[in-house]
Amino acid sequence: MSALLKGVAAHATRDTMETHLPAASTLARCLFDDVPAAVGIYDAHTLVPLAMNGAARAWAEADVSPDQNGIAGRTADSLWNHVPAVLREGHRAAVTEALQTGRPIRLIGMVRGRWSQTVYRPAALEDGSAGLLCVCAPISEGSTLSDDGVVTRRSADDDMGPLASLTERELEVLRLIGMGMTSDQIARELHRSAKTVQGHRNALGLKLGVENRVALARIAIRAGLTALSSESVVELGRRSRRANRRAAVEVQARPFSAH
């Protein structure tokens, strides 16, 4: 991984990879262009981004357009400020631990409404300085996490994205829709009436802005809910509800300012 990082960082100092990765850097091109993940390389001391692929820019909502400076001039704080507020504290702690211990850290949880893993891996850059490789990828049904010495933890917080308004029961129903169950099958699974399940489906459609079961199934699969157990989805809903309550309390506690 260190050798791969050296090959990437030497040529990928702007936000477009194609013109900066030599043809010989096949592994680097695969890492940035072919892997369905957000990939970023950072200076370990300043956390200034040295290179990010398109998925990483979308994940960080950096919204940086190609220019003469690319992305190299952005500061660490300006990058962190684009990370969802609810995730910043936990991810900052993971980065600090990874750099202090030299061991890669994997956080598992919801990132922008998708069940994901984010790995922070210390590695050497081309000039011998310390770097940090960040890879964030969705976890889909049937996928397995590598057991390669990475310290794996459940993220302290979740960024539920468009699913933030859903209740525990609605998340359960959405997961089962994603698994291909009909309303009658879901009713039997949850020990509820078909009418109650239909009510949850209607609520899901209104909250998520879709009109049919197929669209709901796609949302469930994309979010990674079908990769989780029923118990995990319920716990996810509980965590989301507690986070929403904390956010509401914080809003109420803010001083009112009249203009």
Side-chain angles (χ1 to χ4, degrees), residues 201-219:
R201 279 186 52 179
N202 293 339
L204 285 168
L206 290 173
K207 289 183 178 181
L208 298 176
V210 297
E211 298 181 353
N212 57 65
R213 182 174 170 276
V214 173
L216 288 174
R218 288 173 178 165
I219 291 174

Side-chain angles (χ1 to χ4, degrees), residues 3-16:
L4 178 55
L5 261 184
K6 290 179 180 179
V8 174
H11 302 278
T13 56
R14 298 171 73 173
D15 70 312
T16 6

Side-chain angles (χ1 to χ4, degrees), residues 189-210:
E189 177 74 15
L190 300 180
H191 305 290
R192 294 292 186 272
S193 69
K195 183 178 180 180
T196 297
V197 171
Q198 186 60 47
H200 289 311
R201 279 186 52 179
N202 293 339
L204 285 168
L206 290 173
K207 289 183 178 181
L208 298 176
V210 297

